[in-house]
Amino acid sequence: MWEAEPGTFAGGTATQIDERIWAIDLGFQGWDQVIHAYLLTAPDELALIETGPTTTLPALRAGIQAAGFDPARLTSILLTHIHLDHAGAAGTIVREQPDVRVFVHPVGAPHLVDPSRLVKSASRLYGDRMDALWGAVAAVPADRVVPLADGETLGVAGHVLSALYTPGHASHHVAYWDPDLAAIFTGDAGGVRMPGSAYALPPAPPPDLAPDEWAVSTERLRQTGAQRLVLTHGGPFEDVAEHLDQLMPNLSEVEEICRAAMSAGADDVEVTALLQAHTERRLGFPAVTVPGIVQRYGWASPSFLSALGFRRLLTRRGDVPALEQTDRQG
Ligand SMILES: [Zn+2]
């Protein structure tokens, strides 16, 4: 069902984006820019914002080394949310490095300690591609998980970060606000945007998708006065107002396409094709001609996931008729 092809980029590169902060490109599915982890460094502390999935752990470690640091010295992991493309490797890392602490919103914490429900629901979405995409999903021991509530401030690796509760994409999503750098590590709350395009695409997977909450979260991001948005999927961008302004209208466009097609009886394959075509149209010319850009958007925010996210949301609201269960594997 995945519409994008793999590329050939191995990942493991480190780009310094600020004092003592590196963007590590994980080379997910052979493409650059699709998933980043951010490395925060101090003389005796190393922290990561996001880990990426277990399949890209070698690239994560290579990237930490490329930045000039020893991955064995990692002390903290800050997760924006527990989706496998952001957090899948956390348990495997802590298993090998038991001193590492993992920060996550309280609602996400139990699913790190016991990932069985997370794995089960992801398996429904990804079927037999589960392992190839994400690899092992190991539990994080409970005493290594630190729940981080809205507004809590955290001193980590020489940076002071505040957790901003930003649901909408996931019910337990937090973004990390660094007032000294005037930067927000947005996770998925800031959408997906690949260099070469101005198009910010909000990824809309099941089961938590909540556009109304996402709109409130977008306002929270705006109210920080940030001068830089640091996206997990796409890297840093400085046109903060323009980026945030388009986020909710872009989500509404996707919602309207889903509502119209589903009301007319379209199945998930048909809706996926419509959303894929919509992304390409919205990239516009000349961005759509940047080599690999369509694939990068496709891997970072798969159209089939947004189709399923809106199917669930709109069906529950009674906006579209329920669909008979279809085979979602393949
Ligand atoms: Zn996510």
Side-chain angles (χ1 to χ4, degrees):
M1 204 151 180
W2 214 298
E3 56 272 11
E5 315 106 57
T8 56
F9 174 64
T13 54
T15 307
Q16 188 162 10
I17 62 164
D18 213 309
E19 242 183 281
R20 296 175 289 111
I21 302 187
W22 277 260
I24 307 221
D25 194 318
L26 300 180
F28 182 63
Q29 295 299 313
W31 294 103
D32 61 310
Q33 307 288 351
V34 173
I35 305 178
H36 291 96
Y38 292 97
L39 179 69
L40 280 51
T41 68
D44 50 6
E45 256 187 279
L46 284 185
L48 282 171
I49 297 178
E50 320 280 40
T51 64
T54 308
T55 43
T56 55
L57 197 45
L60 177 66
R61 290 184 168 139
I64 295 172
Q65 279 169 334
F69 299 90
D70 177 1
R73 288 184 38 231
L74 185 67
T75 45
S76 303
I77 292 170
L78 283 66
L79 299 175
T80 60
H81 62 305
I82 61 170
H83 290 168
L84 298 176
D85 53 332
H86 294 254
T92 302
I93 293 172
V94 175
R95 184 170 287 193
E96 295 169 22
Q97 297 171 241
D99 293 336
V100 173
R101 294 178 306 167
V102 182
F103 294 85
V104 69
H105 187 268
V107 172
H111 302 287
L112 291 181
V113 175
D114 175 8
S116 56
R117 263 180 63 197
L118 176 68
V119 168
K120 200 170 154 199
S121 69
S123 299
R124 271 200 299 273
L125 299 174
Y126 303 110
D128 57 9
R129 303 184 68 179
M130 192 62 194
D131 195 53
L133 290 167
W134 314 120
V137 183
V140 181
D143 65 351
R144 297 287 82 204
V145 176
V146 187
L148 194 60
D150 181 39
E152 267 190 70
T153 294
L154 185 67
V156 67
H159 295 261
V160 176
L161 299 168
S162 297
L164 297 179
Y165 180 50
T166 38
H169 169 85
S171 60
H172 61 281
H173 191 288
V174 295
Y176 293 99
W177 162 233
D178 185 330
D180 293 335
L181 301 178
I184 308 173
F185 297 89
T186 64
D188 282 349
V192 166
R193 177 176 169 189
M194 294 295 142
S197 174
Y199 181 53
L201 172 61
D208 296 346
L209 173 64
D212 297 348
E213 292 178 24
W214 204 333
V216 175
S217 297
T218 304
E219 273 319 300
R220 290 204 73 189
L221 298 181
R222 195 192 307 275
Q223 280 164 9
T224 59
Q227 286 162 27
R228 188 147 57 145
L229 301 173
V230 186
L231 276 55
T232 303
H233 305 296
F237 293 93
E238 288 176 4
D239 54 348
V240 175
E242 292 86 343
H243 181 104
L244 293 178
D245 281 351
Q246 60 163 311
L247 214 48
M248 290 304 101
N250 290 352
L251 185 61
S252 296
E253 282 179 0
V254 172
E255 177 171 342
E256 287 316 311
I257 290 167
C258 291
R259 188 193 314 276
M262 290 170 188
S263 298
D267 66 15
D268 292 331
V269 174
E270 292 165 322
V271 177
T272 296
L274 290 172
L275 293 186
Q276 181 64 22
H278 175 70
T279 300
E280 293 180 27
R281 198 164 50 239
R282 289 294 272 106
L283 286 180
F285 190 81
V288 74
T289 64
V290 171
I293 197 164
V294 171
Q295 286 85 343
R296 289 181 183 88
Y297 274 89
W299 282 113
S301 177
S303 299
F304 85 87
L305 280 185
S306 293
L308 295 176
F310 275 112
R311 173 77 68 188
R312 179 182 159 100
L313 177 75
L314 298 174
T315 305
R316 286 185 145 205
R317 276 191 194 156
D319 289 8
V320 304
L323 187 73
E324 279 177 45
Q325 279 297 311
T326 52
D327 178 20
R328 283 167 184 173
Q329 303 183 16

